[in-house]
């Protein structure tokens, strides 16, 4: 029999949450494998006097963190062969048009194929006539006031570029206003408090963010105008985290995020402890002690929702996140009457990180590729839609489970986090939830369970960076996890640089009852998405099937789809 690590048990006793204690420092992280970074600082407009010290700062970071820096202002470095040497390319205070068409094509292929991009400050004042670059950097420069001190609100304290920062970071720099707000296409890491300085014009004012671009990764920070920035230890760590993310060594969920309600970000109002032990509450971080216990959000039950939270294990530790937790003083209710999404990377598959504990193992290969090591922060999204649970680790889906036990229905219950026992050290940050519309189910287009002709396509602006693609006339896709029973509405987020066409919504099979159809237009490009919708006749009984019709060639892509009613 395979060895199964025993769960450490502690007798259940009354416990109280201890606030204000300092959590133990996380262990030092293992060094990244050796890699190379290209720093590019060509200017065709304003030239910053901080370029030289900025370049040296990146060299210093490389010497201390196992990467080698090549610095250049020669655009001839942008060839397919040369770029392949580098894990990340840093645009350090570039300005104006710095690459010709051939060089642009080489850089696009590099990033789309999995390369990393780091933009510093006036990287946003670069290449205004190159739409792909505007998408990559996230937003272009509009204006700036005088150099002055401002308060930076750190929104994401799990990303390696911002995990070390306090929630409120005061520093002096030249603060850009941008032509557009990147929040809808990137994960905002930090924003400016416009009330803390003069000259902000955006209201909601992102200043650092990350995003995916096809198979590549992009990080941008608006800081870095001044020479003093590059001797600031916190700013240097900010740059290092961005470089490590862009290079692919540090994982993060960089999907856009809006509409979430905070359950915990420093305040423990609404939370209750079941069982012994508990969590200290310091620096908007919950850190476990003792147990076996569950700290659960007792203020509200949740049914269909997206739950996100950031977590860190100190070492080989054990914890979990409870869903469908009944109102109870017993921590065992989380695994007996609800479900636990496990945290423990070294246990057997059905009890490891990403598992529905003792029920369903994660996709271990996908999990391993998405997981940051002990001492680093990770992000879970636990997506509950009806009785279906999908688990995303740092933006990558690692588990997909559907409950069939009526006694453990996920359409009732609370959420909670586990303090497993003495020696199991786990911390949580930024617990937030977005409730989904009752009666609607949304799934990724690429989550089909049967198909003909279609394939998965990579598109950075899509949810999760992928779509249902390569759709031709007569192709179809089936979704056994989505019932059409009683459904009266259908919508899909689509893109098309091709002929467009029609989506037929059918019940049971690709030739089953036609419930409705919707026209898909050409949206102007494969990276340009819009939503189409239609009513359904409500006569469905079986699993959802989509049939695609139209002219010749590739018709359109499907990002996400939603059925409502029923």
């Amino acid at each position: 029999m395979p060895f199964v690590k025993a769960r450490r048990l502690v007798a259940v006793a009354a416990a109280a949450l201890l606030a204000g204690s300092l959590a133990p420092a996380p262990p030092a992280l293992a060094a990244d494998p050796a890699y190379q970074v290209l720093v590019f600082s060509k200017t065709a407009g304003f030239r910053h006097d901080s370029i030289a010290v900025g370049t040296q700062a990146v060299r210093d970071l490389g010497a201390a963190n196992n990467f080698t820096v090549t610095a250049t202002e020669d655009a001839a470095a942008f060839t397919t062969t040369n770029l392949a040497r580098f894990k990340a390319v840093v645009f350090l205070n570039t300005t104006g048009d710095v690459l010709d068409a051939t060089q642009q094509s080489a850089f696009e292929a590099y990033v789309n194929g999995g390369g990393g991009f780091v933009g510093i400050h006036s990287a946003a004042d670069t290449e205004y006539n190159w739409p792909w670059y505007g998408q990559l950097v996230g937003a272009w420069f509009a204006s700036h006031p005088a150099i002055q001190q401002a308060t930076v609100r750190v929104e994401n304290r799990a990303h390696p570029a911002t995990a070390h920062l306090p929630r409120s970071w005061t520093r002096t720099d030249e603060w850009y206003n941008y032509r557009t707000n990147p929040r809808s296409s990137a994960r905002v890491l930090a924003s400016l408090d416009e009330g803390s300085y003069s000259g902000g014009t955006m209201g909601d004012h992102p200043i650092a963010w990350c995003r995916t671009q096809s198979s590549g990764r992009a990080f941008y920070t608006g800081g870095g105008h001044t020479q003093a920035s590059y001797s600031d230890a916190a700013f240097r760590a900010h740059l290092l985290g961005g470089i490590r993310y862009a290079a692919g060594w540090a994982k993060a969920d960089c999907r856009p995020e809006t509409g979430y309600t905070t359950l915990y970000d420093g305040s423990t109002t609404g939370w209750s402890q079941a069982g012994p032990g508990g969590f200290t509450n310091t620096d908007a971080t919950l850190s476990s002690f003792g147990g076996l216990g569950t700290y659960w959000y007792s203020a509200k039950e949740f049914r269909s929702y997206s739950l996100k939270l950031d977590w860190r294990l100190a070492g080989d530790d054990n914890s979990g996140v409870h869903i469908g937790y009944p109102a109870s003083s017993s921590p065992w209710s989380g695994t007996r009457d609800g479900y636990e999404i496990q945290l423990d990377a070294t246990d057997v598959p059905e009890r490891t990180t990403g598992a529905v504990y003792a029920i369903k193992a994660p996709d271990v290969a996908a999990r391993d590729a998405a997981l940051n090591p002990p001492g680093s922060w990770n992000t879970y999204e636990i997506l509950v839609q009806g009785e279906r649970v999908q688990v995303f680790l740092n933006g990558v889906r690692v588990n997909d489970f559907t409950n069939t036990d009526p006694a453990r229905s996920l359409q009732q219950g609370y959420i909670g986090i586990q303090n497993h026992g003495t020696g199991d050290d786990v911390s949580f940050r930024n617990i937030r939830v977005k409730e989904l519309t009752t009666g609607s189910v949304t799934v990724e287009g690429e989550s089909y369970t049967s198909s003909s002709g279609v394939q998965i396509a990579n598109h950075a602006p899509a949810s999760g960076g992928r779509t249902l693609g390569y759709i031709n006339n007569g192709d179809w896709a089936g979704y056994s996890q989505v019932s059409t029973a009683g459904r009266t509405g259908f919508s899909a987020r689509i893109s098309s640089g091709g002929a467009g066409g029609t989506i037929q919504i059918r019940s049971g099979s690709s030739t089953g009852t036609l419930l409705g159809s919707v026209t898909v237009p050409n949206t102007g490009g494969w990276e340009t998405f819009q939503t189409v919708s239609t009513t359904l006749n409500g006569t469905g009984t079986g699993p959802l099937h989509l049939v695609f019709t139209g002219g010749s060639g590739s018709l359109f892509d499907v990002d996400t789809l939603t059925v409502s009613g029923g």
Side-chain angles (χ1 to χ4, degrees):
M1 294 178 64
F3 172 73
V4 178
K5 184 164 59 179
R7 294 170 65 88
R8 294 180 285 275
L9 305 182
V10 179
V12 175
L17 181 74
L18 300 183
S21 300
L22 290 175
L29 300 179
D32 296 328
Y35 62 105
Q36 296 189 63
V37 170
L38 177 66
V39 174
F40 183 58
S41 55
K42 180 179 178 180
T43 56
F46 181 83
R47 185 168 183 85
H48 288 75
D49 65 6
S50 60
I51 287 176
V53 294
T55 301
Q56 186 57 48
V58 179
R59 289 190 188 278
D60 293 344
L61 291 172
N65 293 278
N66 213 28
F67 63 86
T68 303
V69 173
T70 299
T72 187
E73 298 199 352
D74 185 358
F78 284 74
T79 66
T80 300
T81 301
N82 190 54
L83 289 174
R85 299 164 47 204
F86 303 102
K87 294 290 287 184
V89 176
V90 179
F91 275 46
L92 173 58
N93 282 331
T94 53
T95 54
D97 294 332
V98 291
L99 301 179
D100 65 24
T102 300
Q103 294 156 355
Q104 289 175 357
S105 295
F107 189 52
E108 287 186 24
Y110 165 79
V111 174
N112 290 340
F117 166 79
V118 173
I120 301 175
H121 192 56
S122 64
D125 189 23
T126 301
E127 294 288 357
Y128 290 97
N129 296 315
W130 184 9
W132 180 90
Y133 181 82
Q135 182 184 65
L136 177 73
V137 77
W140 273 309
F141 164 81
S143 64
H144 66 79
I147 296 171
Q148 59 194 293
Q149 181 177 285
T151 299
V152 179
R153 294 170 174 160
V154 180
E155 299 186 19
N156 183 320
R157 300 178 70 215
H159 192 282
T162 45
H164 66 290
L165 295 172
R167 287 189 293 170
S168 181
W169 184 28
T170 301
R171 61 182 309 272
T172 297
D173 216 316
E174 181 184 76
W175 303 112
Y176 276 6
N177 298 304
Y178 299 95
R179 297 184 181 186
T180 56
N181 190 317
R183 193 175 291 276
S184 64
S185 62
R187 178 66 167 104
V188 174
L189 306 178
S191 57
L192 291 176
D193 177 357
E194 290 193 345
S196 68
Y197 74 106
S198 299
T201 63
M202 296 180 66
D204 175 25
H205 196 144
I207 197 64
W209 54 81
C210 63
R211 62 186 306 277
T212 57
Q213 181 89 1
S214 191
S215 296
R217 297 154 304 281
F219 165 80
Y220 172 82
T221 179
H225 172 90
T226 65
Q227 292 188 33
S229 295
Y230 299 96
S231 60
D232 177 353
F235 186 73
R236 287 166 72 109
H238 179 57
L239 292 183
L240 175 62
I243 291 169
R244 293 187 66 242
Y245 164 73
W249 301 128
K251 312 300 182 181
D253 186 350
C254 285
R255 296 174 297 170
E257 183 174 307
T258 58
Y260 283 78
T261 299
T262 298
L263 303 185
Y264 169 79
D265 196 22
S267 171
T268 57
T269 300
W271 289 81
S272 300
Q273 177 71 27
F279 288 86
T280 62
N281 179 21
T282 303
D283 189 29
T285 304
L286 294 171
S287 298
S288 67
F289 65 91
L292 179 84
T294 295
Y295 197 43
W296 58 290
Y297 188 72
S298 54
K300 186 175 182 179
E301 288 188 82
F302 297 101
R303 291 173 173 82
S304 289
Y305 56 92
S306 167
L307 171 67
K308 290 190 177 183
L309 70 170
D310 305 328
W311 56 268
R312 181 182 67 193
L313 301 181
D316 183 12
D317 299 299
N318 189 321
S319 183
V321 180
H322 293 299
I323 56 176
Y325 184 87
S328 172
S329 60
S330 170
W332 287 107
S333 296
T335 51
R336 182 185 60 207
D337 305 313
Y339 290 100
E340 177 186 343
I341 309 304
Q342 178 74 331
L343 299 175
D344 187 348
T346 64
D347 212 333
V348 295
E350 69 272 14
R351 301 184 182 195
T352 191
T353 296
V356 181
Y357 179 76
I359 302 291
K360 185 176 181 181
D363 179 334
V364 174
R367 190 282 311 276
D368 288 349
L371 181 66
N372 289 318
S376 303
W377 287 93
N378 292 274
T379 298
Y380 261 167
E381 180 188 10
I382 301 171
L383 183 62
V384 178
Q385 296 171 294
E387 298 296 338
R388 182 187 183 198
V389 181
Q390 297 177 78
V391 180
F392 294 81
L393 173 63
N394 295 323
V396 176
R397 185 170 55 198
V398 298
N399 210 333
D400 191 345
F401 165 73
T402 299
N403 172 52
T404 58
D405 182 354
R408 302 172 81 171
S409 174
L410 292 169
Q411 292 309 287
Q412 59 188 5
Y414 300 82
I415 65 97
I417 53 177
Q418 183 187 77
N419 54 301
H420 190 270
T422 301
D424 281 318
D425 299 318
V426 60
S427 298
F428 294 94
R429 282 178 173 171
N430 194 16
I431 304 174
R432 64 266 193 207
V433 69
K434 178 162 64 174
E435 295 184 82
L436 307 179
T437 304
T438 302
S440 68
V441 175
T442 300
V443 297
E444 299 286 336
E446 68 273 16
S447 68
Y448 53 86
T449 56
S450 58
S451 67
S452 175
V454 300
Q455 300 177 46
I456 295 173
N458 293 321
H459 289 292
S463 171
R466 303 195 301 174
T467 67
L468 170 68
Y470 302 96
I471 296 171
N472 287 272
N473 181 49
D475 290 349
W476 59 268
Y479 300 82
S480 62
Q481 71 274 34
V482 181
S483 171
T484 61
R487 300 297 186 183
T488 56
F490 173 87
S491 64
R493 186 171 184 255
I494 53 84
S495 70
S496 178
T502 300
I503 302 175
Q504 297 178 357
I505 301 93
R506 293 182 177 270
S507 172
S509 71
S510 61
T511 58
T513 301
L514 180 64
L515 308 180
S517 62
V518 63
T519 300
V520 177
N522 180 300
T523 63
W526 296 107
E527 308 290 312
T528 303
F529 288 84
Q530 68 183 61
T531 299
V532 295
S533 60
T534 188
T535 58
L536 303 179
N537 61 29
T539 63
T541 56
L544 174 70
H545 281 70
L546 304 181
V547 179
F548 311 111
T549 62
S552 60
S554 295
L555 303 180
F556 47 82
D557 282 7
V558 178
D559 181 12
T560 59
L561 56 99
T562 300
V563 289
S564 57

